[in-house]
């Protein structure tokens, strides 16, 4: 595949990133959050005073790093319209001979980013988000058709699925006790937590209609009046909280399913789903099952949220299908300092083998992996991951309380070989980037307690030998040893920080949590 190495694309709002072709001719996406260690970091100086804002030093270091890696001086730098004159001037300093082009197309970028990574030539494309504007027009949900490399907008809606879904987290004290929901970083973390906790709730019949209305008016106090609960910040806890989340998930799924199927029934094609709401793996699973029954398929890209915006802008320019970008992020940023970092601690180091990792996790040890290029997107898929054996009953609680330092209700994802998925999961699909949540088979729910969520589902990652060698070899070794070939995989990060990408941070987690070992490329490092 020939890539256009004359284009550099910069996205500047939250989940900022840059897309370009590197010296090896590979397309790369560098997410700013991984570089400056601020989750969801914003690039533009417009936001410097915000909690997710950065500063000129970070921007300069980020641009220098990209300039070192880029193949050619870009002929065109395409940047999201949120960038201001200061930002544009700074870019011109680093790329003085490039033509700078502003682009204002949030949903268009989502649509192009997803469609051109999909295997479909002919598709219906849905961008389901919590905001965004195209050419100055604010919108939240859009529908496109993609035909033979051309994308045409066919519908736009003010249905704001993303904000409605996230707002449900505001009254839930389990989600962010004491935290101010007006802080963007706090608010952006709500959706994933609501999705996690809804497995503990029941859908309350008499709340369904008021919740349905809430998805259109998005007024929490009105919803509170309608269902007889105080829904101000952190006012709910326990079963009421869980039930509110479960009812919201139920209504979200039903409205979105009706919305999508309405277009599908009139224009039967495979579907591409993107935008932040495409991270809702429970809905994705349901939609894929429905489409498969009708003889069609669903594609969700590895980067459906705003981390894929700079890639989308790049693909708006190139209009060509590419292989999905899974492991195309940062290399290990302090790779050359490995010896220095290891000398500072008291570690046992030896060459990594599959058997050694198997023996460690089989005895209940928890390990981190940092190898190769980072994942592009919010899921750690084996290059910046923490792994362990999910057959240990207390592993979920140990991980949440002593390694990840996060809420008790957050589930952990399993990984299995593609060829084994039907042995352990019902209605499983190949899922290289954890896009779906099949149900763990009844006979394995008790045997795999740490990856079986309260509702019986699991956000499965499947691997084959080409996709992730370390995982594939480890799972094959487990199978040969007659263990259940499923491992638990969660993101490798310091508490409250994005997925890490330095050896220094990996060893910090090893030193300061219950983590037992780290695999750094070919090296096994134990406490
Ligand atoms: Fe978005």
């Amino acid at each position: 595949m020939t890539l256009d190495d004359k284009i550099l694309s910069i996205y500047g709002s939250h989940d900022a990133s840059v897309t370009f072709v590197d010296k090896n001719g590979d397309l790369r996406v560098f997410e700013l959050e991984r570089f400056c260690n601020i989750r969801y970091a914003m690039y533009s100086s417009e936001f410097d005073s915000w909690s997710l804002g950065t500063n000129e030093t970070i921007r300069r270091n980020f641009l220098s790093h990209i300039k070192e890696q880029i193949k050619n001086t870009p002929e065109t730098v395409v940047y999201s319209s949120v960038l201001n004159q200061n930002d544009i001037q700074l870019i011109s300093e680093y790329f003085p001979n490039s033509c700078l082009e502003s682009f204002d197309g949030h949903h268009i970028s989502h649509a192009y980013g997803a469609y051109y990574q999909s295997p479909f030539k002919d598709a219906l494309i849905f961008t389901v988000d919590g905001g965004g504007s195209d050419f100055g027009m604010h919108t939240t949900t859009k529908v496109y058709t993609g035909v033979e490399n051309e994308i045409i907008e066919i519908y736009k809606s003010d249905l704001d699925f993303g904000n409605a879904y996230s707002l449900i987290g505001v009254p839930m004290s389990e989600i962010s006790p004491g935290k101010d929901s007006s802080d963007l970083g706090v608010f952006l973390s709500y959706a994933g937590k609501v999705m996690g906790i809804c497995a503990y709730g029941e859908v309350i019949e008499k709340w369904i209609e008021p919740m349905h209305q809430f998805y259109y008016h998005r007024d929490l106090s009105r919803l509170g009046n309608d269902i007889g609960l105080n829904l101000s910040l952190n006012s709910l806890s326990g079963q009421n909280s869980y039930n509110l989340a479960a009812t919201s998930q139920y209504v979200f799924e039903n409205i979105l399913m009706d919305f999508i199927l309405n277009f599908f029934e009139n224009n039967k094609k495979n579907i591409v789903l993107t935008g932040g709401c495409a991270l809702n793996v429970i809905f994705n699973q349901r939609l894929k099952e429905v489409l498969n029954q009708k003889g069609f398929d669903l594609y969700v890209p590895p980067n459906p949220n705003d981390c894929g915006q700079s890639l989308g802008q790049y693909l708006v320019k190139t209009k060509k299908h590419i292989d999905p970008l899974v492991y195309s992020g940062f290399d290990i940023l302090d790779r050359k300092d490995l010896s220095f970092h290891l000398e500072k601690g008291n570690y046992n180091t030896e060459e990594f083998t599959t058997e050694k990792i198997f023996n460690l996790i089989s005895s209940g040890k928890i390990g981190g992996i940092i190898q190769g290029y980072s994942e592009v997107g919010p899921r750690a898929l084996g290059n910046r991951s923490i792994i362990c054996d999910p057959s240990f009953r207390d592993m979920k609680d140990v991980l949440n309380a002593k390694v990840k330092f996060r809420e008790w209700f957050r589930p952990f994802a399993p990984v299995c070989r593609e060829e084994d998925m039907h042995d352990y999961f019902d209605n499983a699909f190949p899922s290289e980037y954890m896009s779906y949540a099949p149900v763990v088979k009844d006979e394995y729910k008790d045997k795999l307690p740490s990856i079986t969520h309260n509702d019986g589902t699991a956000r499965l990652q499947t691997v084959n030998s080409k996709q992730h060698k370390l995982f594939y070899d480890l799972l094959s070794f487990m199978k040969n040893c007659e263990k259940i070939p499923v491992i638990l995989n969660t993101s490798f990060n310091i508490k409250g920080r994005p997925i890490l990408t330095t050896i220094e941070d990996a060893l910090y987690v090893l030193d300061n949590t219950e983590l037992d070992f780290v695999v750094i490329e070919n090296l096994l490092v134990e406490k």
Side-chain angles (χ1 to χ4, degrees), residues 11 14 106-107 110 128-132 275-276 304-306 309:
Y11 179 70
H14 66 77
H106 192 88
H107 288 263
H110 275 314
V128 186
D129 219 346
N305 60 325
D306 288 359
Q309 280 283 303

Side-chain angles (χ1 to χ4, degrees), residues 160 269 399:
D160 191 338
K269 291 169 189 262
L399 276 169

